[in-house]
Amino acid sequence: MKQTTPLTICMDMFGCPNRCLHCWLGHMPNRQMEAGADEWIVGLFKPYFEEIEFYSWLREPDFCADYRERWERDKRLSVNCEPERFELASFWRLVRDPEYVRFLKEVGVRCVQLTFFGLEETTDRFIGRKGAFRELMQANELLLENGISPRWQAFIYEENRGELVELLRLSEKLELDRRCAEFGGSFKFFIHAGSCDGENRKLYPIRIEKGHIPEELVPYFWRYDENLPESRLCAELRDDPSHVVFHNEDRIVLYVSNEYDLFFNFTHMRPEWRIGNLKTDPIEALVRRVTEEDTEALREASRITVGELVERYGDPLSEKVFEKEDYLGYLFNTHLERLFAEKR
Ligand code: SF4
């Protein structure tokens, strides 16, 4: 009998032009997957799931020259549903291909998120590409000209906190609220520290402390009250006998790397989190691991308590901010990394 829980498959078929220092997925080489890999993978899961939502990308959307055909093909490969567009687009493509913004309009995109880390030099350095900031500004104008609202997201760290105030001032100077309102859209600016997965784990030393968030930015800080200093989280969680739970409730989301490794959408795509490989593991075994959530990492999560994680890896003197779920993920990944390093 087929699973009634819907399945989402996201494949890294084309990669990403950026190498952001905060990339929660983790840096992976760009490698174009074989033609037909998409159809083959959906075909593997079709006998087991009634509904399959298919995406050919999991890093940069539309990072392929034939994005129009690609979108139609993603829709055609999906089973009993259609993929969504979300508020995401490729700013790399926006500034290189005049047709692309028209395509976004056609498929109903009304808002596109643009990610900043400060002004020009800092944003270029964090995105890993010279010219990225100028491209973002150019993309911002193109979106506005075409009646699509830009949404500015900025990641805050100790070293760029002052610059983010300048970024906010720049957005005000550009009168983005008024210009979006002119075509019935709305501009949004928000900042956050991000989860501590993937590449962002390496930025723990410069993670922002709660007391260092500039006052002007507090109204724009996403879930400000839920972001707590590590010292407080350690105090609250140190006797917690429960376990960190990673679980897909209403929909199973799977990521496929360009080497056919299969992952859940839990935390990052590191070897410790691999469910298996679509080329070398039998599909029956992979589907069982997916539906029973039975992988080495998840088994380990049920062995160690939150209290033990805090005791071993938490820093009760740190004022760095985390949301509780992100902090638990950070502690558990620290544990997994040490465990796997010992085994190797
Ligand atoms: S965060 Fe997004 S845009 Fe940046 S490197 Fe990762 S996948 Fe690419």
Side-chain angles (χ1 to χ4, degrees):
M1 209 166 78
K2 287 188 184 185
Q3 291 284 330
T4 49
T5 309
L7 175 70
T8 295
I9 300 174
C10 307
M11 280 176 70
D12 187 23
M13 288 193 77
F14 308 99
C16 176
N18 309 317
R19 288 293 175 271
C20 305
L21 293 184
H22 77 298
C23 182
W24 65 276
L25 289 162
H27 291 167
M28 291 170 269
N30 288 352
R31 192 176 289 124
Q32 193 157 340
M33 295 179 80
E34 302 157 64
D38 48 0
E39 198 159 9
W40 177 71
I41 288 174
V42 173
L44 286 177
F45 286 96
K46 248 186 195 170
Y48 300 95
F49 290 88
E50 274 182 11
E51 185 180 317
I52 303 176
E53 186 186 43
F54 179 77
Y55 298 87
S56 52
W57 60 277
L58 62 83
R59 292 197 278 161
E60 181 89 335
D62 307 316
F63 187 46
C64 58
D66 60 345
Y67 51 87
R68 275 178 192 278
E69 294 76 33
R70 189 60 257 180
W71 171 237
E72 292 305 321
R73 190 169 165 87
D74 283 11
K75 286 199 284 185
R76 214 167 46 244
L77 284 173
S78 296
V79 181
N80 295 326
C81 64
E82 277 208 354
E84 293 179 52
R85 281 304 311 184
F86 306 109
E87 294 178 340
L88 299 172
S90 169
F91 74 90
W92 181 91
R93 182 160 301 287
L94 264 170
V95 303
R96 286 169 176 78
D97 177 349
E99 273 303 307
Y100 181 51
V101 73
R102 287 193 266 282
F103 163 75
L104 293 177
K105 288 279 285 189
E106 279 165 36
V107 295
V109 174
R110 307 178 102 174
C111 172
V112 166
Q113 181 164 282
L114 301 173
T115 301
F116 295 86
F117 297 87
L119 299 178
E120 186 163 356
E121 201 190 317
T122 312
T123 295
D124 284 3
R125 181 163 56 83
F126 269 81
I127 291 183
R129 233 164 21 85
K130 200 153 178 49
F133 180 83
R134 280 170 190 242
E135 287 180 13
L136 284 165
M137 298 310 291
Q138 206 183 325
N140 184 68
E141 291 304 313
L142 272 166
L143 292 169
L144 289 164
E145 282 162 21
N146 286 276
I148 299 176
S149 302
R151 180 173 65 206
W152 287 18
Q153 140 176 270
F155 284 81
I156 188 166
Y157 300 94
E158 284 293 337
E159 65 176 54
N160 68 349
R161 57 193 159 120
E163 227 176 293
L164 291 195
V165 178
E166 291 178 57
L167 185 74
L168 174 63
R169 296 285 167 258
L170 174 64
S171 74
E172 289 164 353
K173 202 167 128 200
L174 292 171
E175 297 186 85
L176 300 177
D177 283 322
R178 180 189 60 74
R179 291 165 75 192
C180 285
E182 274 174 11
F183 56 81
S186 69
F187 172 67
K188 194 166 174 206
F189 178 93
F190 75 105
I191 60 165
H192 58 122
S195 60
C196 212
D197 306 314
E199 298 302 311
N200 219 21
R201 282 179 66 70
K202 297 176 191 160
L203 302 185
Y204 175 85
I206 57 163
R207 206 169 169 84
I208 188 89
E209 293 191 8
K210 186 126 187 185
H212 292 171
I213 298 168
E215 199 136 334
E216 301 95 310
L217 297 179
V218 170
Y220 302 95
F221 201 104
W222 174 247
R223 293 163 62 90
Y224 179 78
D225 292 333
E226 283 86 354
N227 274 268
L228 303 173
E230 185 172 6
S231 57
R232 181 160 155 204
L233 286 163
C234 284
E236 281 177 10
L237 299 170
R238 78 178 160 216
D239 298 319
D240 191 331
S242 69
H243 300 268
V244 190
V245 177
F246 300 90
H247 174 55
N248 271 310
E249 191 73 50
D250 304 325
R251 169 175 293 277
I252 298 170
V253 182
L254 296 178
Y255 292 164
V256 181
S257 80
N258 55 30
E259 293 188 308
Y260 295 88
D261 284 331
L262 192 63
F263 296 86
F264 286 111
N265 60 336
F266 307 147
T267 180
H268 50 206
M269 293 170 74
R270 300 266 311 146
E272 307 89 86
W273 284 97
R274 211 172 68 113
I275 300 168
N277 184 279
L278 287 158
K279 287 272 184 177
T280 56
D281 290 319
I283 188 65
E284 300 78 22
L286 292 173
V287 169
R288 188 198 66 75
R289 284 177 221 161
V290 164
T291 52
E292 294 178 15
E293 293 183 338
D294 182 21
T295 67
E296 214 172 320
L298 295 173
R299 278 196 294 277
E300 184 57 27
S302 66
R303 284 187 204 116
I304 186 158
T305 67
V306 167
E308 284 171 306
L309 288 170
V310 170
E311 194 192 319
R312 287 195 209 175
Y313 311 111
D315 179 354
L317 300 177
S318 153
E319 295 301 302
K320 299 176 193 304
V321 290
F322 287 90
E323 285 199 41
K324 184 178 156 190
E325 294 311 309
D326 292 340
Y327 187 57
L328 293 177
Y330 161 72
L331 292 178
F332 183 61
N333 274 322
T334 308
H335 176 64
L336 274 188
E337 275 167 16
R338 297 209 183 161
L339 208 65
F340 273 67
E342 280 163 22
K343 281 187 187 166
R344 277 198 284 265

